[in-house]
Amino acid sequence: MAYSVTLIPGDGIGTEVSGAARRVLEATGVEFDWDIQEAGVTALEKHGDVLPDAVIDSIRKNNIALKGPLTTPVGGGFRSVNVALRHALELYANLRPSRSYDGVQSSFDNVDLVVVRENMEDLYAGVEFEQGASDTAEIIAEINKRSEKPVSKTAALSIKAITPENSRRIVKFAFEYARENGRKLVTSVHKANIMKYTDGLFLEVSQAVASEYPDIEFNDRIVDNMCMQLMQKPEQYDVLVMPNLYGDIVSDMTSGMIGGLGVAPSANIGEKGAVFEAIHGSAPSHAGKNVANPTAMILSGVMMLRHLREFDAANAVENGVKKIIAEGKNVTYDLREDRDQSKAAKTSEMADAIIAEIQK
Ligand code: NAD
């Protein structure tokens, strides 16, 4: 039976890389019934909204989506499609694996890390108060009545809220992921030495959840020390779970450690659905040239296949990608040492080479 999957092709290089990923996924023999939905600038032009209700309805119905990158129009008060999707579908876990592939230029070898980032709260929730506004002055006055440490009247405020419920949910997700994927260690990343109440709570909950998983090792690291240790001995770490903002920053760092955006996949997962997408954006300067690297989008498809428990197909695609990158012949310009566009494979040609590997 074919899987019903919402496909958001994206814009800019999005349509090219998602088109490549679609062909590669179909080459595995797994059948898909794609429900194609437009979002972002394409939807804005046609429907007057960057995120039409039909997109959310389709993902709610199918519980799963593959999404190409979307351009967020600058100005005009447009809501961010990614943030709106995460909140509408309560996709609370952002899963960002970083694995080294032979043939990708990088200062690190043998990186195999998974960042599990809380997606719903922390400083990312957007609870902010503008400098000089009357609301801000009232809140500062109230804080100064209750806190021994005064906040300057000239300050702007961003509120960091951490709840035990969301902390527990994300840490449990990390342990369940570790168990399902044969991972040995979960590290809770925080700044509890300074933010004793918010990050202290995240750490306390992490320790409590860890005690429910005696088969998985657990430790914790302060976020700055975590970054240094990842630079020095990444092989000592495995699954890293952390609040939203640290997750955003640390996962970009781990993507950089494996060669950057072109090869970094991700998933946003909740109880009601899952959206798989490359970490990179729509790279407008490359759009329409068939030169963008499709790897991140194809590896996001691999994550989707594993989510669907199509493990053989997932392994076939991942092995195909590995082989083509290691050979270094049929790869896009960014994966070539000389970065010579004239000698590089096009987006579609790299996908063709991966398909040929899968079908060998
Ligand atoms: P970007 O990721 O689109 O591009 C940054 C640079 O990275 C590009 O100039 C390009 O050199 C390189 N790059 C990215 N992906 C590549 C690929 N597959 N192959 C080869 N090179 C690649 O980031 P940006 O320029 O900051 O953002 C462009 C647009 O994308 C913005 O509108 C932004 O809001 C949007 N965006 C969307 C998403 C998403 O939909 N998930 C994520 C990030 C940015």
Side-chain angles (χ1 to χ4, degrees):
M1 207 188 70
Y3 292 103
S4 294
V5 175
T6 303
L7 176 64
I8 303 171
D11 56 63
I13 61 166
T15 48
E16 298 157 51
V17 293
S18 65
R22 176 181 171 168
R23 287 198 297 119
V24 170
L25 293 176
E26 287 171 349
T28 62
V30 174
E31 287 180 29
F32 297 96
D33 182 6
W34 302 108
D35 181 1
I36 296 173
Q37 295 289 336
E38 280 163 350
V41 285
T42 320
L44 183 68
E45 282 156 19
K46 287 197 190 163
H47 313 290
D49 189 356
V50 285
L51 186 60
D53 289 343
V55 181
I56 304 277
D57 292 344
S58 167
I59 304 174
R60 282 213 178 105
K61 179 166 73 67
N62 296 323
N63 294 322
I64 192 156
L66 185 65
K67 172 182 164 293
L70 297 166
T71 305
T72 302
V74 178
F78 296 109
R79 51 186 175 153
S80 154
V81 177
N82 290 323
V83 175
L85 261 182
R86 274 176 216 161
H87 283 269
L89 300 163
E90 209 166 338
L91 305 172
Y92 67 86
N94 186 196
L95 195 55
R96 293 185 167 191
S98 295
R99 174 176 288 180
S100 301
Y101 290 109
D102 283 348
V104 181
Q105 293 158 55
S106 154
S107 314
F108 295 84
D109 301 318
N110 298 323
V111 173
D112 188 7
L113 297 162
V114 180
V115 173
V116 178
R117 167 189 173 195
E118 204 286 326
N119 240 353
M120 309 302 292
E121 59 182 14
D122 189 10
L123 283 161
Y124 250 73
V127 184
E128 296 202 292
F129 296 90
E130 198 178 351
Q131 197 266 337
S134 61
D135 277 355
T136 317
E138 279 175 35
I139 291 166
I140 292 173
E142 196 57 40
I143 293 171
N144 288 344
K145 269 194 242 162
R146 291 161 192 265
S147 167
E148 285 170 13
K149 292 175 191 145
V151 174
S152 165
K153 284 181 184 157
T154 60
L157 300 176
S158 296
I159 305 296
K160 176 175 169 110
I162 298 279
T163 60
E165 299 80 17
N166 285 346
S167 301
R168 183 171 171 78
R169 184 167 66 167
I170 197 67
V171 178
K172 259 188 100 62
F173 182 96
F175 274 95
E176 289 294 330
Y177 177 88
R179 201 176 253 176
E180 273 222 1
N181 291 276
R183 299 273 178 167
K184 305 274 182 278
L185 168 70
V186 172
T187 302
S188 174
V189 183
H190 58 84
K191 188 80 185 171
N193 54 330
I194 302 296
M195 281 166 272
K196 295 186 193 300
Y197 294 136
T198 49
D199 283 17
L201 176 61
F202 187 82
L203 176 59
E204 201 181 296
V205 172
S206 299
Q207 288 162 336
V209 173
S211 68
E212 297 164 24
Y213 293 85
D215 51 320
I216 311 279
E217 266 184 76
F218 171 76
N219 59 17
D220 71 275
R221 294 286 180 270
I222 293 169
V223 62
D224 41 339
N225 180 30
M226 181 81 261
C227 291
M228 188 191 68
Q229 297 221 11
L230 287 174
M231 289 294 118
Q232 291 192 316
K233 35 194 174 186
E235 67 287 349
Q236 290 189 4
Y237 294 91
D238 193 349
V239 176
L240 312 171
V241 63
M242 60 199 88
N244 210 334
L245 180 63
Y246 308 145
D248 190 25
I249 298 166
V250 173
S251 67
D252 260 35
M253 195 182 86
T254 55
S255 300
M257 290 167 73
I258 57 155
L261 290 174
V263 291
S266 79
N268 293 288
I269 299 178
E271 308 293 341
K272 298 172 206 148
V275 176
F276 297 84
E277 62 179 335
I279 288 180
H280 65 72
S282 58
S285 64
H286 295 328
K289 298 179 186 160
N290 197 18
V291 296
N293 184 352
T295 303
M297 198 67 217
I298 293 171
L299 292 176
S300 303
V302 169
M303 292 179 78
M304 185 178 88
L305 287 171
R306 294 211 166 102
H307 186 81
L308 293 168
R309 312 196 75 73
E310 292 286 351
F311 298 112
D312 289 347
N315 293 341
V317 176
E318 190 175 15
N319 290 336
V321 169
K322 268 189 205 163
K323 179 121 190 266
I324 293 306
I325 292 181
E327 280 175 3
K329 276 189 292 188
N330 294 301
V331 294
T332 48
Y333 79 96
D334 58 305
L335 291 174
R336 292 178 58 89
E337 215 159 325
D338 58 11
R339 292 181 81 85
D340 186 339
Q341 294 249 16
S342 67
K343 294 187 196 143
K346 299 285 185 194
T347 310
S348 53
E349 290 167 344
M350 185 167 173
D352 291 340
I354 294 166
I355 291 170
E357 272 310 313
I358 294 169
Q359 294 179 335
K360 258 186 192 165

